Structures are given as structure tokens and as C-alpha cells.
Amino acid sequence: MAQGTYFTRAGVFSFLILRCVAFCGGPKVRTVFEFPFKTWVENIAVRANGNLLVTLIDHPELHMINPFCPGDGTMVSAFPDALGLLGIAEFQPDQFAVVVGNWSDVTFTTTPHSYSIWQVDMRPFRAVGSEVILPAVVEKVVDIPEAVFLNGLTTLNRDDQTILVADSGLGVVWRVNIATRNYEVILQDATMEPTPPYNLGINGIHIRDQYLYYTNSGLQLFARMPINPNGTRAGDADVLVTNHLGDDFTFDRRGNAYVTQDPGNDLYQVTPEGNVSTVLGGPDSPLIEGDTAAQFGRTPFDCHILYITTNGGLVNPVNGSAVGGKIIAFNTDCQ
Ligand SMILES: *[C@@H]1O[C@H](CO)[C@@H](O)[C@H](O)[C@H]1NC(C)=O
Ligand SMILES: *[C@@H]1O[C@H](CO)[C@@H](O)[C@H](O)[C@H]1NC(C)=O
Ligand SMILES: *[C@@H]1O[C@H](CO)[C@@H](O)[C@H](O)[C@H]1NC(C)=O
Ligand SMILES: *[C@@H]1O[C@H](CO)[C@@H](O)[C@H](O)[C@H]1NC(C)=O
């Protein structure tokens, strides 16, 4: 049983969370928010109050979307001297670490030496509709000039404020301590390496039960590696899925992984037993065209809703027509 405090536009209320109020009511799939055409929504983190934070890779911007109020979006912050944002994760309550750097959606290439990690403190942030009343505190943590293409990001240890960051260009995982600003390569493996033509290796990363799970886009695999609490390797990599494109992913409470497929257009599920199936979309489906990342809601009202970000099919448009990047809500209780 956990104590929850929810901030809404109407005010503040607190209550006890007894269980997830999961039910198959309403539509199986709905659009929460659609950005203008040529907006590539790249990654997503969910605040404890239910608001969604999404990064754009083709604009250096972080946006907040209220999933309970369709069309309600606010730009939290723009970031200087960069083309875009990539991975995002909460490393302390309502404080988020973000990858900022230059990957070009025009040339499909990365600019080595352009990447940095930033922190965004959402605690003071207040907005009404799209208008910011009190800003978030946004600060650069550290430049990582040795990095080639920083991409997925996940929290390793909240107590000492360490995160792991995938480098898709070098095929390694960096450990970054946000408090001390120290960083180092902590993991390297053949299953993480980039391959031609896009030189895109390890991409999405998340930790579950002492394993680092990851996709490798070029090698088209989903794998896991046992790690120590400090992020170092504790065993050999185990490839769970092959011949599937993979971008970012998340897990439900039962341990099923949901893997997005940009530039594919489907979402596949991997059960704890290792069974793989498509649960939403498909190569010719516009439902989640260009799906890039996914996270579950965090309130009792949407903990069964998987929020999926998309780039609208900019890389591989369904029937040749791309749309604006979206946030799609998928009710996983309706499967
Ligand atoms: C990254 O892109 C920004 C915006 O175009 C530019 O100002 C900056 O110099 C670039 N950084 C590098 C290292 O090329
Ligand atoms: C990480 O933890 C392992 C296992 O506890 C230990 O052997 C290793 O020395 C630690 N390495 C670093 C770099 O902290
Ligand atoms: C997993 O796949 C195997 C082989 O296709 C099948 O026999 C089994 O029933 C599946 N298990 C579940 C839990 O779906
Ligand atoms: C794509 O085009 C084909 C052939 O014109 C059509 O049958 C199909 O409905 C279209 N699909 C979508 C998602 O628009």
C-alpha cells in the first residue's frame, strides 16, 4: 500500500492506493496528443502525478502532456546548442535526467562530441494549459565529449544518483553520477555493438531484477545481461529475441516486455517465458506509425495504460504518408 499525492489543475488531493484500478472501459487505443507534422517524439517518462514528459529528437525541447485532458500540452523547456533530446528517466522524485545532443533527422547521422546529460527538476513547475506559471529548474550535469551517440537512459541507483546511458554509436553503456558529475564506460559487449549501414547499436535500456535489458537496433535483437548493483557485468549476455527491430521498451507488472519498433510500426510483447507476439499495429498499420518508446501510467486510473510515443512515420511512412508525432494510449486490459 503506497501513499499517493496527485496534483491536478483543480487542486491537490491525497489518497491511499490500494490497487491499480484496471478495467477495460473506453477505447482500446486513443490518441492523447498529436504534435504538428515533422515532430519526432523520441522518449517518455511519467511523473508520479500522472503527467507525461516527452522528448523530441528533432527539436531541442521537453514537453509535458496531461493524459487526462486530451490536447493539453506545455513546453517545459528548450535546450541551447543542440538539435534534440533523447532518453529520459526519473533519478530522484520528480527530477529527471535527459540526453541532449545532435542527431540529425535530415542526414540520419550523429555528431560525435555533441552530447551532454542534463537534469530537470519538475518540483517547482506549474502550468495552466500551455502557459508556464513557474518554470522547472533545468541544468546541465556534464558534457560527455567521448560519446558518439547517446540514446536510451535509465536510473541505476536513486540513492547515489547514478544513471546508465546507452551509446548507440560506440556500442557501450556509460554510468553517470549526477551528484558528482563523474562518468565512465561500465558495460561493453558484442551484443551492444553498432552495425552498418546506420551504425546504430544498443538503443533502449532498462533494469529489472538485477538484469539490464536492451535492444540493439542494427542487430535487431532484444537481450539482457546480469549486472551488479553498481552497474558492472555479473554474467554473460542472453539474447531473448532476434530478427525484430527494437527501439525503446518497458515492462508491465507481470514482467511482460513491450518493445517499440521504429522504423517498424508495431509493438511486440515478450513474455517472461520468452514468447514473442505483436500486440498492436503492424508493418502496414498507421495506428502507432513510427513507435519510438513506451511507458505505463503511474496513477491508479491509468496504471494499465501504456503510453506510446511515435515519430509519425518519418523514417518509414505507412503508404507513403507520415503524420505528426503522437502520444497514443493503449489499454492493455483490452487485449
Ligand atoms: C549541435 O547543433 C547546434 C544547433 O545546430 C549547434 O549550435 C552546435 O554547434 C552543434 N554542436 C556540435 C558539437 O556540432
Ligand atoms: C562493482 O561491484 C562488484 C560486485 O560487488 C565489485 O566486484 C566491483 O569491484 C565493483 N566495481 C566498481 C567499478 O565499483
Ligand atoms: C509460448 O509459445 C509456445 C510455443 O509456441 C507455446 O506452446 C506456449 O503455449 C506459449 N506460452 C504462452 C504462455 O503463451
Ligand atoms: C494503403 O494503401 C492500400 C492500397 O491503396 C489500401 O488498401 C490501404 O487501405 C492503405 N492503408 C492505409 C493504412 O491507409
Side-chain angles (χ1 to χ4, degrees):
M1 202 162 68
Q3 177 86 37
T5 303
Y6 293 88
F7 298 91
T8 66
R9 217 193 279 181
V12 179
F13 60 96
S14 300
F15 54 88
L16 294 174
I17 303 167
L18 295 173
R19 58 188 287 272
C20 185
V21 186
F23 59 94
C24 182
K28 178 180 164 185
V29 181
R30 71 182 168 90
T31 299
V32 175
F33 195 86
E34 181 168 351
F35 284 90
F37 180 56
K38 289 205 170 168
T39 308
W40 179 317
V41 189
E42 169 67 10
N43 216 293
I44 180 169
V46 184
R47 298 178 69 193
N49 70 3
N51 282 317
L52 313 177
L53 292 176
V54 297
T55 63
L56 308 183
I57 203 173
D58 55 354
H59 301 76
E61 297 172 6
L62 177 69
H63 288 253
M64 187 178 84
I65 310 294
N66 178 352
F68 301 110
C69 200
D72 189 343
T74 316
M75 185 167 84
V76 172
S77 184
F79 294 72
D81 306 321
L83 292 178
L85 274 53
L86 293 100
I88 179 168
E90 188 181 49
F91 69 93
Q92 284 276 294
D94 224 13
Q95 297 177 65
F96 296 81
V98 189
V99 171
V100 178
N102 292 8
W103 182 83
S104 165
D105 67 320
V106 178
T107 60
F108 280 48
T109 55
T110 183
T111 304
H113 324 302
S114 68
Y115 289 85
S116 55
I117 303 296
W118 290 62
Q119 56 183 323
V120 179
D121 185 350
M122 290 299 291
R123 290 172 300 175
F125 187 81
R126 297 289 179 273
V128 174
S130 61
E131 193 187 341
V132 175
I133 309 294
L134 282 171
V137 179
V138 179
E139 188 193 338
K140 186 191 277 187
V141 175
V142 67
D143 285 315
I144 306 189
E146 300 87 347
V148 170
F149 183 6
L150 295 184
N151 198 332
L153 185 160
T154 198
T155 299
L156 175 65
N157 184 330
R158 286 180 176 234
D159 295 333
D160 67 10
Q161 301 192 18
T162 46
I163 58 169
L164 298 181
V165 189
D167 191 325
S168 299
L170 284 179
V172 303
V173 175
W174 296 86
R175 181 177 68 182
V176 181
N177 186 312
I178 292 173
T180 65
R181 300 169 201 264
N182 288 331
Y183 61 87
E184 64 187 295
V185 169
I186 198 86
L187 294 168
Q188 253 177 308
D189 193 73
T191 58
M192 299 176 179
E193 282 173 8
T195 42
Y198 298 113
N199 297 315
L200 184 65
I202 184 170
N203 188 332
I205 56 172
H206 294 284
I207 297 168
R208 184 179 169 87
D209 296 340
Q210 310 281 309
Y211 284 90
L212 182 77
Y213 288 79
Y214 50 98
T215 56
N216 182 317
S217 301
L219 292 175
Q220 300 202 13
L221 57 79
F222 180 57
R224 69 176 191 177
M225 177 184 280
I227 57 169
N228 294 307
N230 62 15
T232 56
R233 173 194 286 260
D236 288 339
D238 185 9
V239 174
L240 306 171
V241 180
T242 54
N243 297 317
H244 278 64
L245 285 169
D247 199 340
D248 207 348
F249 61 91
T250 193
F251 292 93
D252 67 14
R253 284 160 288 153
R254 296 175 208 91
N256 297 305
Y258 294 83
V259 188
T260 61
Q261 284 219 299
D262 178 54
N265 303 310
D266 81 25
L267 178 78
Y268 73 88
Q269 184 197 59
V270 188
T271 68
E273 300 78 37
N275 284 23
V276 181
S277 59
T278 292
V279 288
L280 196 63
D284 303 319
S285 165
L287 207 53
I288 48 169
E289 203 174 340
D291 51 327
T292 51
Q295 284 289 321
F296 279 94
R298 288 178 64 182
T299 79
F301 311 110
D302 69 347
C303 44
H304 58 303
I305 302 287
L306 186 64
Y307 295 105
I308 303 164
T309 55
T310 79
N311 62 25
L314 289 175
V315 180
N316 178 28
V318 174
N319 272 5
S321 79
V323 295
K326 295 179 184 177
I327 293 105
I328 307 281
F330 170 39
N331 186 336
T332 56
D333 280 356
C334 294
Q335 277 183 57

